[in-house]
Amino acid sequence: AQKVTQAQTEISVVEKEDVTLDCVYETRDTTYYLFWYKQPPSGELVFLIRRNSFDEQNEISGRYSWNFQKSTSSFNFTITASQVVDSAVYFCALSEEIQGAQKLVFGQGTRLTINP
Amino acid sequence: DVKVTQSSRYLVKRTGEKVFLECVQDMDHENMFWYRQDPGLGLRLIYFSYDVKMKEKGDIPEGYSVSREKKERFSLILESASTNQTSMYLCASSSISTNEKLFFGSGTQLSVL
């Protein structure tokens, strides 16, 4: 069965520090997608990135970067020069196709607090 | 922008009541999902639907049912609410055109007393 593990329940850092959120997944599928979502205090999950299993290139978007390593089944997320607005709960997710629809299996989430 | 609207932000119900949680999306998405979110457990899929009148059980369907009579609306029903169903409920939608990216509503915090 699909499984996503985010071992870090809570992380607290001081503003401007770099921080990495870990994500490890399990799947038997050869084709799959990995996602990161951000949940700010307002509650609505916001999509950050989608990565397919055939693309192991790291991705950078501003202060955000993602490291996908198939060999270790990991998809880690790094925030560089963190800001208070980055405080949120972050979820890693793995897709599973059922009846032609991609359902997502989520990790437990990591609560990130950036202190001024 | 895609909008997924959940009818209530907060809801308080009594044990044994029948509860309806409503979700509407405005982007003609084929797929709709109901998740519940609990501390330390992340999001767990209750039910999803890939077309009108179609439904599939997720990982924790016990105690819940769903209805999808129209493409834009997906309802979650608690036939007889129990205290262990106190949780945050999140609705989401997606389509092939969005590369299966899920768009979420703001959630309904349900308390069953």
Side-chain angles (χ1 to χ4, degrees), chain A residues 36-85:
Chain A
W36 275 95
Y37 280 83
K38 173 182 180 180
Q39 186 180 40
S42 61
E44 186 173 324
L45 272 80
V46 177
F47 168 85
L48 294 179
I49 189 171
R50 171 185 182 264
R51 176 51 52 96
N52 80 50
S53 53
F54 295 108
D55 183 1
E56 288 195 68
Q57 276 195 332
N58 290 334
E59 179 149 345
I60 298 175
S61 175
R63 297 183 296 106
Y64 294 173
S65 62
W66 291 268
N67 183 316
F68 175 30
Q69 294 208 351
K70 221 166 171 177
S71 60
T72 56
S73 296
S74 65
F75 187 44
N76 297 336
F77 172 32
T78 298
I79 301 175
T80 304
S82 60
Q83 299 177 3
V84 172
V85 293

Side-chain angles (χ1 to χ4, degrees), chain B residues 39-81:
Chain B
L41 297 176
L43 277 71
R44 293 178 293 166
L45 183 64
I46 304 171
Y47 267 97
F48 70 100
S49 169
Y50 52 91
D51 203 350
V52 176
K53 296 193 186 294
M54 306 303 288
K55 60 186 179 184
E56 289 287 335
K57 291 180 180 179
D59 301 315
I60 51 165
E62 297 78 18
Y64 303 94
S65 62
V66 290
S67 172
R68 189 144 180 226
E69 295 297 317
K70 293 184 178 181
K71 193 174 186 179
E72 67 271 17
R73 187 180 295 270
F74 192 36
S75 304
L76 180 69
I77 304 155
L78 287 65
E79 295 290 342
S80 177

Side-chain angles (χ1 to χ4, degrees), chain B residues 4-105:
Chain B
V4 180
T5 303
Q6 294 184 231
S7 52
S8 305
R9 186 74 176 96
Y10 299 96
L11 212 51
V12 180
K13 295 292 181 181
R14 296 217 172 267
T15 302
E17 278 192 72
K18 190 169 186 175
V19 181
F20 291 87
L21 302 183
E22 305 287 348
C23 175
V24 177
Q25 50 96 0
D26 65 359
M27 283 301 291
D28 204 37
H29 284 173
E30 298 86 17
N31 309 318
M32 295 188 75
F33 305 81
W34 276 105
Y35 285 87
R36 65 176 278 178
Q37 181 180 1
D38 300 288
L41 297 176
L43 277 71
R44 293 178 293 166
L45 183 64
I46 304 171
Y47 267 97
F48 70 100
S49 169
Y50 52 91
D51 203 350
V52 176
K53 296 193 186 294
M54 306 303 288
K55 60 186 179 184
E56 289 287 335
K57 291 180 180 179
D59 301 315
I60 51 165
E62 297 78 18
Y64 303 94
S65 62
V66 290
S67 172
R68 189 144 180 226
E69 295 297 317
K70 293 184 178 181
K71 193 174 186 179
E72 67 271 17
R73 187 180 295 270
F74 192 36
S75 304
L76 180 69
I77 304 155
L78 287 65
E79 295 290 342
S80 177
S82 62
T83 54
N84 63 12
Q85 292 178 310
T86 291
S87 186
M88 171 68 83
Y89 290 87
L90 293 164
C91 176
S93 70
S94 75
S95 77
I96 296 171
S97 65
T98 66
N99 290 324
E100 305 299 350
K101 181 172 79 174
L102 264 63
F103 293 84
F104 282 86

Side-chain angles (χ1 to χ4, degrees), chain A residues 10-29:
Chain A
E10 294 192 31
I11 299 175
S12 181
V13 300
V14 177
E15 201 171 18
K16 295 185 183 157
E17 281 188 33
D18 298 347
V19 58
T20 295
L21 282 61
D22 297 332
C23 173
V24 174
Y25 63 92
E26 295 175 30
T27 180
R28 289 185 199 157
D29 293 345

